[in-house]
Coordinates of all heavy atoms in Angstrom, one line a residue:
E26 N 123.3 103.3 91.3 CA 122.3 102.6 90.6 C 122.2 103.2 89.2 O 122.0 104.4 89.0 CB 120.9 102.8 91.3 CG 119.8 102.1 90.6 CD 118.4 102.4 91.2 OE1 118.3 103.3 92.1 OE2 117.4 101.7 90.8
A59 N 122.4 120.2 85.6 CA 121.0 120.6 85.8 C 120.7 120.5 87.3 O 121.1 119.6 88.0 CB 120.0 119.7 85.0
V73 N 114.0 112.3 86.8 CA 115.4 111.8 86.4 C 115.2 110.4 85.9 O 115.9 110.0 85.0 CB 116.3 111.9 87.6 CG1 117.7 111.4 87.3 CG2 116.4 113.3 88.1
D134 N 120.3 113.2 94.7 CA 119.2 113.8 95.4 C 119.7 114.5 96.7 O 120.7 114.2 97.2 CB 118.1 112.7 95.7 CG 116.8 113.3 96.0 OD1 116.6 114.5 95.9 OD2 115.9 112.5 96.3
A184 N 130.1 129.4 93.7 CA 131.0 128.5 93.0 C 130.2 127.3 92.5 O 130.5 126.8 91.4 CB 132.2 128.1 93.8
V203 N 96.1 112.3 88.0 CA 95.2 111.2 87.6 C 96.0 110.4 86.6 O 96.0 109.1 86.7 CB 93.8 111.6 87.1 CG1 93.1 110.4 86.5 CG2 93.0 112.3 88.2
G208 N 99.2 105.6 85.0 CA 100.4 105.1 84.4 C 101.3 104.3 85.4 O 102.2 103.6 85.0
A289 N 96.7 111.4 106.1 CA 97.2 112.6 105.4 C 96.1 113.6 105.1 O 96.4 114.7 104.6 CB 97.7 112.1 104.0
V296 N 85.5 112.7 106.5 CA 84.1 112.3 106.7 C 83.3 112.7 105.5 O 82.5 111.9 105.0 CB 83.6 113.0 108.0 CG1 82.1 112.8 108.1 CG2 84.2 112.4 109.2
D308 N 76.8 101.8 93.1 CA 76.5 100.7 92.3 C 77.5 99.5 92.5 O 77.1 98.4 92.6 CB 76.4 101.0 90.8 CG 75.3 102.0 90.5 OD1 74.3 102.0 91.3 OD2 75.3 102.6 89.4
N314 N 79.0 93.8 97.2 CA 78.5 93.6 98.6 C 79.5 94.0 99.6 O 79.9 93.3 100.5 CB 78.1 92.1 98.8 CG 77.4 91.9 100.1 OD1 76.7 92.8 100.6 ND2 77.5 90.7 100.6

Side-chain angles (χ1 to χ4, degrees):
E26 179 185 9
V73 182
D134 197 5
V203 171
V296 168
D308 292 341
N314 194 26

